[in-house]
Amino acid sequence: MHDVLARIETVRLVPVIKIERAGDAEPLGEALLEGGLPIAEVTFRTDAAAEAIKSLADCFPDLLVGAGTVLSVDQVARAVDSGARFVVSPGFNPRVVDYCIGRSIPITPGVNNPTQIEMGLERGLDVLKFFPAEASGGMALLKAMSAPYGGIRFIPTGGIGPGNLRSYLSFDRVLACGGSWMVKSELIAAGDFAEISRLCRRAVELARSVE
Ligand code: 3PG
């Protein structure tokens, strides 16, 4: 496993961030670290994504910064140029995945069926995003779908929160869980970074309570 993915496994959480103003990146980075969550997946859902990644990567050497919702090779290049250390995509785009593999950039493409898992296996990937986790069938689907593929681990994302986090993290095929519940874009926009820290701390406590 790539060392960046191994680091994600130690945290067991991937906060999925949508940030509208790059100027919010610095207080957000402080809030994440204050909440005990030294990781950030900044999604390319806003124009501020690349600048926010750069600001987080420059200001916080201890923060593992990645790019999410990456849909094209061009976005991978912009993300990595800005300082992203890992790439996440909602689906399995072979061009994006192969570009990352060719450059040793850790990529976790989204899958929710066995055919997509086999596309990852064929390329030597050992960690995939399970997306959209809850809407696709949640734990029941993940357990059934992962059974034939012993070497693969998953980062379920989509519909996860304090109510179901422990159930996902209790499954040994789950490397970490992703989600936006602790870094809601409304809280970022409102500048409520204290609440973000509180939600992060609560998520970290919940994750640590799973043996
Ligand atoms: C993602 O991009 O991975 C999801 O939008 C996160 O899903 P959530 O908002 O349900 O946590």
Side-chain angles (χ1 to χ4, degrees):
M1 190 189 302
H2 195 288
D3 61 346
V4 164
L5 297 171
R7 205 169 140 195
I8 291 175
E9 184 179 17
T10 67
V11 183
R12 307 218 74 196
L13 293 164
V14 181
V16 177
I17 295 157
K18 183 175 157 211
I19 186 165
E20 301 285 349
R21 295 179 306 240
D24 288 333
E26 212 173 313
L28 175 63
E30 276 163 13
L32 288 168
L33 291 170
E34 168 76 26
L37 206 42
I39 180 164
E41 176 192 325
V42 179
T43 59
F44 269 82
R45 295 188 192 181
T46 67
D47 293 342
E51 208 183 325
I53 288 169
K54 181 160 177 35
S55 169
L56 288 170
D58 287 351
C59 297
F60 306 103
D62 294 338
L63 194 69
L64 181 59
V65 185
T69 320
V70 172
L71 305 179
S72 67
V73 162
D74 177 58
Q75 282 178 337
V76 176
R78 283 174 55 214
V80 171
D81 281 351
S82 304
R85 310 261 313 277
F86 65 94
V87 169
V88 181
S89 57
F92 199 114
N93 178 331
R95 283 172 57 188
V96 168
V97 173
D98 292 341
Y99 179 88
C100 289
I101 291 173
R103 284 158 187 78
S104 302
I105 301 162
I107 165 101
T108 52
V111 302
N112 72 351
N113 71 43
T115 304
Q116 297 156 352
I117 293 177
E118 291 184 22
M119 288 166 65
L121 264 181
E122 198 174 18
R123 290 166 166 84
L125 296 182
D126 50 11
V127 180
L128 300 168
K129 174 175 175 169
F130 170 39
F131 180 78
E134 280 294 288
S136 299
M139 279 301 299
L141 175 63
L142 182 58
K143 282 195 168 156
M145 179 175 84
S146 59
Y149 309 110
I152 297 260
R153 312 241 349 250
F154 296 88
I155 303 181
T157 308
I160 297 178
N164 57 7
L165 176 67
R166 295 182 84 251
S167 134
Y168 278 98
L169 290 180
S170 302
F171 183 36
D172 62 2
R173 306 294 297 283
V174 169
L175 183 95
C177 282
S180 63
W181 80 92
M182 65 298 243
V183 282
K184 292 189 187 96
S185 44
E186 306 89 84
L187 291 175
I188 300 174
D192 195 350
F193 298 104
E195 177 64 1
I196 290 173
S197 279
R198 195 189 68 77
L199 291 169
C200 290
R201 201 168 303 115
R202 174 81 185 114
V204 169
E205 282 166 9
L206 265 177
R208 286 204 182 126
S209 72
V210 178
E211 287 306 312

Coordinates of all heavy atoms in Angstrom, one line a residue, residues 48-136:
A48 N -12.5 27.6 -6.2 CA -11.4 27.9 -5.2 C -10.6 26.7 -4.9 O -9.6 26.8 -4.1 CB -12.1 28.4 -4.0
A49 N -10.9 25.5 -5.4 CA -10.3 24.2 -5.0 C -8.8 24.3 -5.0 O -8.1 24.0 -4.1 CB -10.8 23.1 -5.7
A50 N -8.2 24.6 -6.2 CA -6.8 24.5 -6.4 C -6.0 25.5 -5.5 O -5.0 25.1 -4.8 CB -6.4 24.8 -7.9
E51 N -6.6 26.7 -5.4 CA -5.9 27.7 -4.5 C -6.0 27.3 -3.0 O -5.1 27.5 -2.2 CB -6.6 29.0 -4.7 CG -5.7 30.2 -4.4 CD -6.5 31.5 -4.6 OE1 -7.4 31.6 -5.5 OE2 -6.2 32.5 -3.8
A52 N -7.2 26.7 -2.7 CA -7.4 26.2 -1.3 C -6.4 25.1 -1.0 O -5.8 25.0 0.1 CB -8.8 25.7 -1.0
I53 N -6.2 24.2 -1.9 CA -5.2 23.1 -1.7 C -3.8 23.7 -1.5 O -3.1 23.3 -0.6 CB -5.2 22.1 -3.0 CG1 -6.5 21.3 -3.0 CG2 -4.0 21.2 -3.0 CD1 -6.7 20.5 -4.3
K54 N -3.5 24.7 -2.3 CA -2.1 25.3 -2.2 C -2.0 25.9 -0.8 O -0.9 25.8 -0.2 CB -1.9 26.3 -3.3 CG -0.6 26.9 -3.3 CD -0.2 27.6 -4.6 CE 1.2 28.3 -4.5 NZ 2.1 27.7 -3.6
S55 N -3.0 26.7 -0.4 CA -2.9 27.3 0.8 C -2.8 26.3 2.0 O -1.9 26.5 2.9 CB -4.1 28.2 1.0 OG -4.3 28.7 2.3
L56 N -3.6 25.3 2.0 CA -3.5 24.3 3.0 C -2.1 23.6 3.0 O -1.5 23.4 4.1 CB -4.6 23.2 2.9 CG -6.0 23.7 3.2 CD1 -7.0 22.6 2.7 CD2 -6.1 23.9 4.7
A57 N -1.6 23.2 1.8 CA -0.4 22.5 1.7 C 0.8 23.4 2.2 O 1.7 22.9 2.8 CB -0.2 22.0 0.3
D58 N 0.7 24.7 1.8 CA 1.8 25.6 2.2 C 1.8 25.9 3.7 O 2.9 26.0 4.3 CB 1.7 26.9 1.4 CG 2.0 26.8 -0.1 OD1 2.5 25.7 -0.5 OD2 1.8 27.7 -0.8
C59 N 0.6 26.1 4.2 CA 0.6 26.6 5.6 C 0.7 25.5 6.6 O 1.1 25.8 7.8 CB -0.8 27.3 5.9 SG -1.0 28.8 4.9
F60 N 0.3 24.3 6.3 CA 0.3 23.2 7.3 C 1.0 22.0 6.8 O 0.4 21.0 6.3 CB -1.2 22.9 7.6 CG -2.0 24.0 8.0 CD1 -2.9 24.6 7.1 CD2 -2.0 24.6 9.2 CE1 -3.7 25.7 7.4 CE2 -2.7 25.7 9.6 CZ -3.6 26.3 8.7
P61 N 2.3 21.9 7.1 CA 3.1 20.7 6.7 C 2.6 19.4 7.3 O 2.8 18.4 6.7 CB 4.5 21.1 7.1 CG 4.5 22.4 7.8 CD 3.1 23.0 7.7
D62 N 1.9 19.5 8.5 CA 1.5 18.3 9.1 C 0.1 17.8 8.6 O -0.4 16.8 9.0 CB 1.3 18.5 10.6 CG 2.7 18.7 11.3 OD1 3.7 18.3 10.7 OD2 2.7 19.3 12.3
L63 N -0.5 18.6 7.7 CA -1.8 18.2 7.2 C -1.6 17.4 5.9 O -0.9 17.9 5.0 CB -2.6 19.5 6.9 CG -4.1 19.4 6.7 CD1 -4.8 19.0 8.0 CD2 -4.6 20.8 6.2
L64 N -2.3 16.3 5.8 CA -2.2 15.5 4.5 C -3.3 16.0 3.6 O -4.5 15.8 3.9 CB -2.4 14.0 4.8 CG -2.4 13.1 3.7 CD1 -1.1 13.1 2.9 CD2 -2.7 11.6 4.2
V65 N -2.9 16.7 2.6 CA -3.9 17.4 1.7 C -4.1 16.6 0.4 O -3.1 16.3 -0.3 CB -3.5 18.9 1.4 CG1 -4.6 19.6 0.6 CG2 -3.2 19.6 2.7
G66 N -5.3 16.3 0.0 CA -5.6 15.7 -1.2 C -6.7 16.4 -2.0 O -7.3 17.4 -1.5
A67 N -7.0 15.9 -3.2 CA -8.0 16.5 -4.0 C -9.1 15.5 -4.3 O -8.8 14.3 -4.5 CB -7.4 16.9 -5.4
G68 N -10.3 16.0 -4.2 CA -11.5 15.1 -4.4 C -12.3 15.6 -5.6 O -12.1 16.7 -6.2
T69 N -13.3 14.8 -6.0 CA -14.1 15.1 -7.2 C -13.3 15.4 -8.4 O -13.6 16.3 -9.1 CB -15.2 16.2 -6.9 OG1 -15.7 16.0 -5.6 CG2 -16.4 16.1 -7.9
V70 N -12.2 14.6 -8.6 CA -11.3 14.9 -9.7 C -11.8 14.1 -10.9 O -12.0 12.9 -10.9 CB -9.9 14.4 -9.3 CG1 -9.0 14.5 -10.5 CG2 -9.3 15.3 -8.2
L71 N -12.2 14.8 -12.0 CA -12.9 14.3 -13.1 C -12.0 14.2 -14.4 O -12.5 13.7 -15.4 CB -14.2 15.1 -13.4 CG -15.1 15.2 -12.2 CD1 -16.3 16.1 -12.6 CD2 -15.6 13.9 -11.7
S72 N -10.9 14.8 -14.3 CA -10.1 14.9 -15.6 C -8.6 14.8 -15.2 O -8.2 15.2 -14.1 CB -10.4 16.2 -16.4 OG -9.9 17.3 -15.6
V73 N -7.8 14.5 -16.3 CA -6.3 14.5 -16.1 C -5.8 15.9 -15.8 O -4.9 16.1 -15.0 CB -5.7 13.9 -17.4 CG1 -4.3 14.3 -17.6 CG2 -6.0 12.4 -17.5
D74 N -6.5 16.9 -16.5 CA -6.1 18.3 -16.2 C -6.3 18.7 -14.7 O -5.4 19.3 -14.1 CB -6.9 19.2 -17.1 CG -6.7 20.6 -16.9 OD1 -5.5 21.0 -17.0 OD2 -7.6 21.4 -16.5
Q75 N -7.3 18.2 -14.1 CA -7.6 18.5 -12.7 C -6.5 17.8 -11.8 O -6.1 18.3 -10.8 CB -9.0 18.1 -12.3 CG -10.0 19.1 -12.7 CD -11.4 18.7 -12.3 OE1 -11.7 17.5 -12.1 NE2 -12.3 19.7 -12.2
V76 N -6.1 16.6 -12.2 CA -5.1 15.9 -11.5 C -3.8 16.7 -11.5 O -3.2 17.0 -10.4 CB -4.7 14.5 -12.0 CG1 -3.6 13.8 -11.3 CG2 -5.9 13.5 -12.1
A77 N -3.4 17.2 -12.7 CA -2.2 18.0 -12.8 C -2.3 19.3 -11.9 O -1.4 19.6 -11.2 CB -2.0 18.3 -14.3
R78 N -3.4 19.9 -12.0 CA -3.6 21.2 -11.2 C -3.5 20.9 -9.7 O -3.0 21.6 -8.9 CB -4.9 21.9 -11.6 CG -4.8 22.6 -12.9 CD -6.2 23.1 -13.3 NE -6.8 24.0 -12.3 CZ -8.1 24.1 -12.1 NH1 -8.9 23.4 -12.8 NH2 -8.6 24.9 -11.2
A79 N -4.2 19.8 -9.3 CA -4.2 19.4 -7.9 C -2.8 19.1 -7.4 O -2.4 19.6 -6.4 CB -5.1 18.2 -7.7
V80 N -2.0 18.3 -8.2 CA -0.7 17.9 -7.7 C 0.2 19.2 -7.7 O 1.0 19.4 -6.8 CB -0.2 16.8 -8.6 CG1 1.3 16.5 -8.3 CG2 -1.0 15.5 -8.3
D81 N 0.1 20.0 -8.8 CA 0.9 21.2 -8.8 C 0.6 22.1 -7.6 O 1.5 22.9 -7.1 CB 0.5 22.1 -10.1 CG 1.2 21.5 -11.3 OD1 2.1 20.6 -11.2 OD2 0.9 22.0 -12.4
S82 N -0.6 22.0 -7.1 CA -1.0 22.9 -6.0 C -0.6 22.3 -4.6 O -0.7 22.9 -3.6 CB -2.5 23.1 -5.9 OG -2.9 23.6 -7.2
G83 N -0.1 21.0 -4.7 CA 0.4 20.4 -3.4 C -0.4 19.2 -2.9 O -0.2 18.7 -1.8
A84 N -1.4 18.8 -3.8 CA -2.2 17.6 -3.3 C -1.4 16.3 -3.3 O -0.6 16.1 -4.2 CB -3.4 17.4 -4.3
R85 N -1.5 15.5 -2.3 CA -0.7 14.3 -2.1 C -1.5 13.0 -2.5 O -0.9 11.9 -2.5 CB -0.2 14.2 -0.7 CG 0.5 15.5 -0.2 CD 2.0 15.4 -0.2 NE 2.4 14.1 0.3 CZ 2.7 13.9 1.6 NH1 2.4 14.8 2.5 NH2 3.1 12.7 2.0
F86 N -2.8 13.2 -2.6 CA -3.6 12.0 -3.1 C -4.8 12.6 -3.9 O -5.2 13.7 -3.8 CB -4.1 11.1 -1.9 CG -5.0 11.8 -0.9 CD1 -6.4 11.7 -1.0 CD2 -4.5 12.6 0.1 CE1 -7.2 12.3 -0.1 CE2 -5.3 13.2 1.1 CZ -6.7 13.0 0.9
V87 N -5.4 11.7 -4.7 CA -6.5 12.0 -5.6 C -7.7 11.1 -5.4 O -7.5 9.9 -5.2 CB -6.0 12.0 -7.1 CG1 -7.2 12.1 -8.0 CG2 -5.0 13.1 -7.3
V88 N -8.9 11.7 -5.3 CA -10.1 10.9 -5.1 C -11.0 11.2 -6.3 O -11.2 12.4 -6.6 CB -10.7 11.2 -3.8 CG1 -12.0 10.3 -3.6 CG2 -9.8 11.0 -2.6
S89 N -11.7 10.2 -6.9 CA -12.7 10.5 -7.9 C -14.0 9.8 -7.6 O -14.0 8.7 -6.9 CB -12.2 10.1 -9.3 OG -11.8 8.7 -9.3
P90 N -15.1 10.4 -8.0 CA -16.4 9.7 -7.6 C -16.6 8.4 -8.4 O -17.3 7.5 -7.9 CB -17.4 10.8 -8.0 CG -16.7 11.8 -8.8 CD -15.3 11.7 -8.6
G91 N -16.1 8.3 -9.6 CA -16.3 7.1 -10.4 C -14.9 6.6 -10.9 O -13.9 7.1 -10.4
F92 N -15.0 5.6 -11.7 CA -13.7 5.0 -12.2 C -13.5 5.4 -13.6 O -14.0 4.8 -14.6 CB -13.8 3.4 -12.1 CG -12.5 2.8 -12.2 CD1 -12.0 2.1 -11.1 CD2 -11.7 2.8 -13.3 CE1 -10.8 1.5 -11.1 CE2 -10.5 2.2 -13.3 CZ -10.0 1.5 -12.2
N93 N -12.8 6.5 -13.8 CA -12.4 7.0 -15.1 C -11.0 6.5 -15.5 O -10.0 6.9 -14.9 CB -12.4 8.6 -15.1 CG -12.0 9.2 -16.4 OD1 -11.2 8.6 -17.2 ND2 -12.4 10.4 -16.6
P94 N -10.9 5.5 -16.4 CA -9.6 4.9 -16.7 C -8.5 5.8 -17.1 O -7.4 5.6 -16.7 CB -10.0 3.9 -17.9 CG -11.4 3.7 -17.8 CD -12.0 5.0 -17.2
R95 N -8.9 6.9 -17.7 CA -7.8 7.9 -18.1 C -7.2 8.6 -16.9 O -6.0 8.7 -16.7 CB -8.4 8.9 -19.1 CG -8.5 8.3 -20.5 CD -9.2 9.2 -21.4 NE -8.6 10.5 -21.6 CZ -9.1 11.5 -22.3 NH1 -10.3 11.3 -22.9 NH2 -8.5 12.6 -22.4
V96 N -8.1 9.0 -16.0 CA -7.6 9.6 -14.7 C -6.8 8.6 -13.9 O -5.7 8.9 -13.4 CB -8.8 10.2 -13.9 CG1 -8.4 10.6 -12.5 CG2 -9.5 11.4 -14.7
V97 N -7.4 7.4 -13.8 CA -6.7 6.4 -12.9 C -5.3 6.1 -13.5 O -4.3 6.0 -12.8 CB -7.6 5.1 -12.8 CG1 -6.8 4.0 -12.1 CG2 -8.9 5.5 -12.0
D98 N -5.3 5.8 -14.8 CA -4.0 5.4 -15.4 C -3.0 6.5 -15.4 O -1.8 6.3 -15.2 CB -4.2 4.9 -16.9 CG -5.0 3.6 -16.9 OD1 -5.0 2.9 -15.9 OD2 -5.6 3.3 -17.9
Y99 N -3.4 7.8 -15.5 CA -2.5 8.9 -15.4 C -1.9 9.0 -14.0 O -0.7 9.1 -13.9 CB -3.3 10.2 -15.7 CG -2.5 11.5 -15.6 CD1 -1.8 12.0 -16.7 CD2 -2.5 12.2 -14.4 CE1 -1.1 13.2 -16.6 CE2 -1.8 13.4 -14.3 CZ -1.1 13.9 -15.4 OH -0.4 15.1 -15.4
C100 N -2.7 8.8 -13.0 CA -2.2 8.8 -11.6 C -1.2 7.6 -11.4 O -0.1 7.8 -10.8 CB -3.3 8.7 -10.6 SG -4.3 10.2 -10.5
I101 N -1.6 6.4 -11.8 CA -0.7 5.3 -11.6 C 0.6 5.5 -12.3 O 1.7 5.2 -11.7 CB -1.4 4.0 -12.1 CG1 -2.6 3.6 -11.2 CG2 -0.4 2.8 -12.2 CD1 -3.5 2.5 -11.7
G102 N 0.6 6.0 -13.5 CA 1.8 6.3 -14.3 C 2.7 7.2 -13.6 O 3.9 7.3 -13.8
R103 N 2.2 8.1 -12.7 CA 3.0 9.1 -12.0 C 3.1 8.8 -10.5 O 3.5 9.7 -9.7 CB 2.4 10.5 -12.2 CG 2.7 11.0 -13.6 CD 1.7 12.0 -14.1 NE 2.0 12.4 -15.5 CZ 1.6 11.6 -16.5 NH1 1.0 10.5 -16.3 NH2 1.9 12.0 -17.7
S104 N 2.8 7.6 -10.1 CA 2.8 7.2 -8.7 C 2.0 8.1 -7.8 O 2.5 8.4 -6.6 CB 4.3 7.1 -8.2 OG 5.0 6.1 -9.0
I105 N 0.9 8.7 -8.3 CA 0.1 9.5 -7.4 C -1.0 8.6 -6.8 O -1.7 7.9 -7.6 CB -0.6 10.6 -8.3 CG1 0.4 11.5 -9.0 CG2 -1.6 11.4 -7.4 CD1 -0.1 12.3 -10.2
P106 N -1.1 8.5 -5.5 CA -2.2 7.7 -4.9 C -3.6 8.1 -5.4 O -3.9 9.3 -5.3 CB -2.0 7.8 -3.4 CG -0.8 8.6 -3.2 CD -0.4 9.3 -4.5
I107 N -4.3 7.2 -5.9 CA -5.7 7.5 -6.4 C -6.6 6.5 -5.9 O -6.3 5.3 -5.9 CB -5.7 7.5 -8.0 CG1 -7.2 7.4 -8.5 CG2 -5.0 6.3 -8.6 CD1 -7.8 8.7 -9.0
T108 N -7.7 6.9 -5.3 CA -8.8 6.0 -4.9 C -10.1 6.4 -5.7 O -10.8 7.3 -5.4 CB -9.1 6.1 -3.4 OG1 -9.3 7.5 -3.0 CG2 -7.9 5.6 -2.6
P109 N -10.3 5.7 -6.8 CA -11.5 5.9 -7.6 C -12.7 5.3 -7.0 O -12.6 4.3 -6.2 CB -11.1 5.2 -8.9 CG -10.2 4.1 -8.6 CD -9.4 4.6 -7.4
G110 N -13.8 5.9 -7.2 CA -15.1 5.4 -6.7 C -15.6 4.2 -7.4 O -15.6 4.2 -8.7
V111 N -16.1 3.2 -6.6 CA -16.7 2.0 -7.2 C -17.9 1.7 -6.4 O -18.0 2.0 -5.2 CB -15.7 0.8 -7.2 CG1 -14.4 1.1 -8.0 CG2 -15.4 0.4 -5.8
N112 N -18.9 1.0 -7.1 CA -20.0 0.4 -6.3 C -20.5 -0.9 -7.0 O -21.6 -1.3 -6.7 CB -21.1 1.4 -6.1 CG -21.9 1.8 -7.3 OD1 -21.5 1.4 -8.4 ND2 -23.0 2.4 -7.1
N113 N -19.6 -1.5 -7.8 CA -20.0 -2.8 -8.3 C -18.7 -3.7 -8.6 O -17.6 -3.1 -8.6 CB -20.9 -2.8 -9.5 CG -20.2 -2.2 -10.7 OD1 -19.1 -2.6 -11.0 ND2 -20.9 -1.4 -11.4
P114 N -18.9 -5.0 -8.7 CA -17.7 -5.9 -8.9 C -16.9 -5.6 -10.1 O -15.7 -5.7 -10.1 CB -18.4 -7.3 -8.9 CG -19.6 -7.1 -8.2 CD -20.1 -5.8 -8.5
T115 N -17.6 -5.2 -11.2 CA -16.9 -4.9 -12.4 C -15.8 -3.8 -12.2 O -14.7 -3.9 -12.7 CB -17.9 -4.5 -13.6 OG1 -18.8 -5.6 -13.7 CG2 -17.2 -4.3 -14.9
Q116 N -16.3 -2.8 -11.5 CA -15.4 -1.6 -11.3 C -14.2 -2.1 -10.3 O -13.1 -1.6 -10.5 CB -16.2 -0.5 -10.7 CG -17.2 0.1 -11.6 CD -18.4 0.8 -10.9 OE1 -18.5 0.7 -9.6 NE2 -19.2 1.4 -11.6
I117 N -14.5 -2.9 -9.4 CA -13.5 -3.4 -8.5 C -12.4 -4.2 -9.3 O -11.2 -4.0 -9.1 CB -14.1 -4.4 -7.4 CG1 -14.9 -3.6 -6.4 CG2 -12.9 -5.1 -6.6 CD1 -15.6 -4.5 -5.4
E118 N -12.9 -4.9 -10.3 CA -11.9 -5.7 -11.1 C -11.1 -4.8 -12.0 O -9.9 -5.1 -12.3 CB -12.7 -6.8 -11.9 CG -13.2 -7.9 -10.9 CD -13.9 -9.0 -11.6 OE1 -13.6 -9.3 -12.8 OE2 -14.6 -9.7 -10.9
M119 N -11.7 -3.6 -12.4 CA -10.9 -2.7 -13.1 C -9.7 -2.1 -12.3 O -8.6 -1.9 -12.7 CB -11.7 -1.5 -13.6 CG -12.7 -1.9 -14.7 SD -14.0 -0.7 -15.0 CE -13.0 0.7 -15.5
G120 N -10.0 -2.0 -11.0 CA -9.0 -1.5 -10.0 C -7.9 -2.6 -9.8 O -6.7 -2.4 -9.8
L121 N -8.4 -3.8 -9.6 CA -7.5 -5.0 -9.3 C -6.5 -5.2 -10.5 O -5.4 -5.4 -10.3 CB -8.4 -6.3 -9.3 CG -8.8 -6.8 -7.9 CD1 -9.6 -8.1 -8.1 CD2 -7.6 -7.1 -7.1
E122 N -7.1 -5.1 -11.7 CA -6.3 -5.3 -12.9 C -5.1 -4.3 -12.9 O -4.1 -4.6 -13.5 CB -7.2 -5.1 -14.1 CG -6.6 -5.7 -15.4 CD -7.7 -5.5 -16.5 OE1 -8.6 -4.7 -16.4 OE2 -7.5 -6.3 -17.5
R123 N -5.3 -3.1 -12.4 CA -4.3 -2.1 -12.4 C -3.4 -2.1 -11.1 O -2.6 -1.2 -10.9 CB -5.0 -0.7 -12.5 CG -5.6 -0.5 -13.9 CD -6.5 0.7 -13.9 NE -6.9 1.1 -15.2 CZ -7.8 0.6 -16.0 NH1 -8.5 -0.4 -15.5 NH2 -8.1 1.0 -17.2
G124 N -3.7 -3.1 -10.2 CA -2.9 -3.2 -9.0 C -3.3 -2.3 -7.9 O -2.5 -2.1 -6.9
L125 N -4.5 -1.6 -8.0 CA -4.9 -0.8 -6.9 C -5.3 -1.7 -5.7 O -5.9 -2.7 -5.9 CB -6.1 0.1 -7.3 CG -5.8 1.1 -8.4 CD1 -7.1 1.9 -8.7 CD2 -4.7 2.0 -8.0
D126 N -5.0 -1.2 -4.5 CA -5.4 -2.0 -3.3 C -6.4 -1.3 -2.4 O -6.9 -1.9 -1.4 CB -4.2 -2.6 -2.5 CG -3.2 -1.5 -2.2 OD1 -3.5 -0.3 -2.4 OD2 -2.1 -1.9 -1.8
V127 N -6.7 0.0 -2.7 CA -7.7 0.7 -2.0 C -8.6 1.5 -3.0 O -8.1 2.1 -3.9 CB -7.0 1.8 -1.0 CG1 -8.1 2.5 -0.2 CG2 -6.0 1.1 0.0
L128 N -9.9 1.3 -2.8 CA -10.9 2.0 -3.6 C -11.9 2.7 -2.8 O -12.1 2.3 -1.6 CB -11.6 0.9 -4.5 CG -10.8 0.0 -5.4 CD1 -11.6 -1.1 -5.9 CD2 -10.2 0.9 -6.6
K129 N -12.4 3.8 -3.3 CA -13.5 4.5 -2.6 C -14.8 3.7 -2.9 O -15.0 3.3 -4.0 CB -13.6 5.9 -3.2 CG -14.8 6.7 -2.7 CD -14.7 8.2 -3.2 CE -15.9 9.0 -2.8 NZ -15.7 10.4 -3.1
F130 N -15.6 3.5 -1.9 CA -17.0 2.9 -2.1 C -18.0 4.1 -2.1 O -18.2 4.7 -1.1 CB -17.3 1.9 -1.0 CG -18.7 1.4 -1.0 CD1 -19.4 1.1 -2.2 CD2 -19.3 1.1 0.2 CE1 -20.7 0.7 -2.1 CE2 -20.6 0.7 0.3 CZ -21.3 0.4 -0.9
F131 N -18.5 4.4 -3.3 CA -19.3 5.6 -3.4 C -20.4 5.4 -4.4 O -20.2 4.7 -5.5 CB -18.4 6.8 -3.9 CG -19.2 8.1 -4.1 CD1 -19.5 8.8 -3.0 CD2 -19.6 8.5 -5.4 CE1 -20.2 10.0 -3.2 CE2 -20.3 9.7 -5.5 CZ -20.6 10.4 -4.4
P132 N -21.6 5.9 -4.2 CA -22.1 6.6 -2.9 C -22.5 5.5 -1.9 O -23.5 4.7 -2.2 CB -23.3 7.4 -3.3 CG -23.8 6.8 -4.6 CD -22.7 6.0 -5.2
A133 N -21.8 5.4 -0.8 CA -21.9 4.2 0.1 C -23.4 3.9 0.5 O -23.9 2.8 0.2 CB -21.0 4.4 1.3
E134 N -24.0 4.8 1.2 CA -25.3 4.5 1.7 C -26.4 4.2 0.6 O -27.1 3.3 0.6 CB -25.8 5.6 2.6 CG -25.2 5.5 4.0 CD -25.7 4.2 4.8 OE1 -26.8 4.2 5.2 OE2 -24.8 3.3 5.0
A135 N -26.4 5.1 -0.4 CA -27.4 5.0 -1.5 C -27.2 3.8 -2.3 O -28.1 3.2 -2.9 CB -27.3 6.3 -2.4
S136 N -25.9 3.2 -2.4 CA -25.7 2.0 -3.2 C -26.1 0.8 -2.5 O -26.2 -0.3 -3.1 CB -24.2 1.9 -3.5 OG -23.8 3.0 -4.2

